[in-house]
Amino acid sequence: LRKFPSLVQKFDMESNGKRVTAAGMPLSFQAGEIDFGEAGSNGQHSFYQLLHQGRTVPADFIGFMESQSSIVDEEYTTNDTGSLDGWDGEVNISGHDKLMSNFFAQPDALAYGKSLSDLVQEDVPENLRQHKVFPGNRPSSSILMTKLDAFAVGQLLAIYEHRTAVQGFIWGINSFDQFGTEIGKVLAK
């Protein structure tokens, strides 16, 4: 799915980034959306800061129940008390398990945030509290699929292409003209 965000960027932003209706009348709102993304947890050090504390941007998270790899990355053993969060013995954690933990954690963090009173209870130093407040109530969708294969990619493409077309119909714009891409090409000649 590494290339999936750029594909959605292309058809969604190109299709619905318009300023006038299909009849040529100016829109009373800004149409289109800005699409971006990263596979795995790569986005944590780029746009997740914006999602959690900056402007409100709806986010989609896509995860798969089955790993594409059976490789175990790390092995956790018992702690000093003889157990690891209720588990006795050793627990193997795969890269897929880590990614899925992130898949479930990020939407929760966006939804619930972290309040000033939470930080006070956690004894966070006062000078850092305002920096660590996360307002929550940030919209996100989670799409959990069985496994990543050609069929699943086709389903995802259908979902996002359908969304783009329906938005265009609702907004009364022609999602299929590309005049905005032509101006740059003409000027480049």
Side-chain angles (χ1 to χ4, degrees), residues 114-130 132:
K114 185 165 278 236
S115 70
L116 186 58
S117 62
D118 292 335
L119 297 167
V120 170
Q121 289 177 343
E122 294 171 8
D123 291 325
V124 172
E126 189 171 348
N127 64 323
L128 296 178
R129 289 179 188 160
Q130 286 302 322
K132 293 188 170 203

Side-chain angles (χ1 to χ4, degrees), residues 74-107:
E74 294 182 27
E75 187 174 274
Y76 291 89
T77 56
T78 57
N79 60 22
D80 294 339
T81 63
S83 70
L84 177 68
D85 296 328
W87 293 91
D88 291 326
E90 298 175 350
V91 179
N92 293 320
I93 306 295
S94 70
H96 180 259
D97 291 339
K98 291 178 192 176
L99 289 172
M100 291 309 294
S101 292
N102 198 42
F103 168 81
F104 290 113
Q106 291 297 340

